[in-house]
Amino acid sequence: MTTYKEQQENKMSYVLLKDCEVLGTFGNLKKVCDFMEDEDFPSYWTLIRKKNFPITINNYSIHKVKHH
């Protein structure tokens, strides 16, 4: 069993960038896909299979960073 403090230390966020400009930070990958719903952007089910970050698609990139 992990403590609350350990959970907070291990928490990760997703940062969405377009041409090196931050569009937003999200708590999970699904929210990134929901935010980009109207754009030509891959689905959540496509992105969840990617293991290596950053994920780069067209001019967009998704970085996984430690939550502070």
Side-chain angles (χ1 to χ4, degrees):
M1 188 173 216
T2 59
T3 65
Y4 177 77
K5 184 176 180 179
E6 291 170 337
Q7 290 174 1
Q8 294 305 312
E9 289 173 356
N10 296 330
K11 200 174 205 178
M12 302 295 277
S13 294
Y14 296 89
V15 179
L16 177 65
L17 297 113
K18 181 177 182 183
D19 298 326
C20 297
E21 182 180 328
V22 176
L23 297 178
T25 59
F26 304 89
N28 60 48
L29 199 53
K30 177 76 170 114
K31 291 182 181 180
V32 174
C33 294
D34 290 345
F35 180 77
M36 295 301 296
E37 187 172 67
D38 298 332
E39 301 291 325
D40 182 25
F41 201 74
S43 72
Y44 169 76
W45 298 108
T46 301
L47 293 177
I48 197 70
R49 294 185 201 131
K50 309 274 184 186
K51 300 294 180 196
N52 298 325
F53 284 89
I55 299 172
T56 305
I57 305 109
N58 300 333
N59 294 336
Y60 297 100
S61 64
I62 302 170
H63 295 263
K64 190 174 182 179
V65 298
K66 283 275 248 188
H67 180 79
H68 290 281

